[in-house]
Amino acid sequence: MFNLEDYDYDLPGEYIAQTPLERRDDSRLMKVDRARRFFSNHRFRDLPRLLKSGDLLVVNNTRVVPARLFGRKESGGRIEILVLDHAPPGRSGNDIRWCLLRSSKRPRRGSRLFFDGEITGHVKDLGEDGLVRIAFEGPVPLDTILEEKGTMPLPPYIRRSADDGMEAVDRERYQTVFSKEKGAVAAPTAGLHFTGTVLKSLREAGIEVVELTLHVGHGTFRPVRTKDIRKHHLGKESYRVGKETAEAVNRCKAEGRRVIAVGTTVVRTLETLADSEGYITHGNGTTDLLITPGYRFKAVDGLITNFHLPKSSLLFLVSAFAGRELIKEAYQWAMEKRYRFYSYGDAMVIL
């Protein structure tokens, strides 16, 4: 149950969605009935009729920052960085941020980096796994440069070329319709399927939707290198849960209704805050909660999620919620039905 190899599976490359569908809610939706161990095939726009009146959906309103920049070292070698810290911009163009850096050879501490927009960087510290702390200087704040010249930090399995014309598409479609609070380095992908039409249908069906914020960090997608999955460490991610959302969740629990988390980020936030009865408090904080099989869920009764990479912490969480064997069967069923996998792929609702 805790062996990393138990969470491996083979997925042919053609199953990995490279582009979003024309309409978000045209994506397929697999219903997983945990009690009956039964799967059924739907479209995402069918979601309101798969739930029931009184259910509460909790979504993540984080917004992905176009935080990938390209530049060069003093030697002329090309570099690529992903800016990880997204605090509100300061009053000047000076800023110090932790970044992920890719280059043929790692720069030295104290070396200079050069980016578009007359921005330069000085390497202040070197961390593990490609982390670099960079002091940025220039006439324009770094956050402005990111909005103007940054590209979306798509996962590596989504392939893009410089002239494929997809940058504008990704800037729109790699955000959820809820996105408003800047700070994520990856989209909470379960929310990518929602549209105004689906939200209207949910309200008409008596299903409430509330928001929280968890800024997805790069630690969520850090490769797991421990044989025992319980020893894996997630990086800390910041969250904010407003008073209205906390009250809605607590009212739902008190009345015996279901709390449905839209995405693993929402699960981790609610479960971080929940007491033994599933009631939560509002406020700000950070979480590095790793959920693996055997975890007792307190706040979450249902889950909407995409299909996840093998040997990933996200797959551990989903397996904890539905059972490892059931999830293995569900993924096999999805492949047989030719579902699209990963960020721009299809979804499942687990009830």
Side-chain angles (χ1 to χ4, degrees), residues 17 33 66 73 77-78 137 148 150 199 241-243 256 264 266 272 274 297 299 308:
D33 186 322
K73 296 182 288 187
R78 289 179 55 82
E137 297 179 358
E148 292 178 352
L199 291 171
V241 177
K243 184 178 180 182
T264 57
V266 173
T272 294
F297 289 84
H308 302 296

Side-chain angles (χ1 to χ4, degrees), residues 109-120:
R109 184 180 286 106
S111 61
R112 300 175 70 198
L113 310 171
F114 302 91
F115 304 93
D116 288 342
E118 300 181 15
I119 291 289
T120 60

Side-chain angles (χ1 to χ4, degrees), residues 52-238:
K52 58 187 179 183
S53 179
D55 284 344
L56 175 70
L57 285 185
V58 186
V59 303
N60 187 356
N61 65 12
T62 189
R63 186 168 182 82
V64 182
V65 179
R68 179 171 283 136
L69 284 177
F70 298 90
R72 61 182 176 82
K73 296 182 288 187
E74 290 177 284
S75 64
R78 289 179 55 82
I79 61 170
E80 174 187 328
I81 66 167
L82 178 61
V83 181
L84 301 177
D85 298 331
H86 299 293
R91 290 188 294 272
S92 73
N94 300 332
D95 220 335
I96 301 177
R97 310 281 183 101
W98 280 103
C99 307
L100 279 176
L101 184 144
R102 292 177 59 188
S103 65
S104 58
K105 186 176 180 181
R106 205 172 191 202
R108 298 186 306 274
R109 184 180 286 106
S111 61
R112 300 175 70 198
L113 310 171
F114 302 91
F115 304 93
D116 288 342
E118 300 181 15
I119 291 289
T120 60
H122 290 79
V123 177
K124 306 289 285 186
D125 295 293
L126 301 175
E128 297 179 350
D129 298 323
L131 285 173
V132 178
R133 191 164 172 258
I134 302 173
F136 294 91
E137 297 179 358
V140 180
L142 175 62
D143 296 273
T144 302
I145 294 295
L146 293 179
E147 287 299 328
E148 292 178 352
K149 300 182 180 296
T151 61
M152 295 299 280
L154 299 177
Y157 51 75
I158 295 179
R159 304 182 194 92
R160 293 287 183 264
S161 62
D163 57 353
D164 62 11
M166 288 298 296
E167 175 61 24
V169 174
D170 292 327
R171 278 202 170 223
E172 176 193 358
R173 295 300 300 277
Y174 197 60
Q175 304 280 14
T176 71
V177 296
F178 315 108
S179 65
K180 61 183 72 166
E181 303 292 339
K182 291 183 180 180
V185 300
T189 56
L192 294 178
H193 311 279
F194 285 83
T195 62
T197 300
V198 169
L199 291 171
K200 181 174 181 289
S201 298
L202 287 166
R203 289 192 295 269
E204 291 173 349
I207 298 163
E208 186 180 1
V209 180
V210 297
E211 301 178 0
L212 55 75
T213 304
L214 182 130
H215 292 314
V216 186
H218 79 287
T220 300
F221 306 101
R222 184 182 297 142
V224 179
R225 297 190 173 96
T226 58
K227 291 183 178 180
D228 185 332
I229 64 173
R230 295 170 295 183
K231 296 180 179 179
H232 178 62
H233 294 288
L234 291 174
K236 288 186 179 296
E237 297 170 318
S238 60

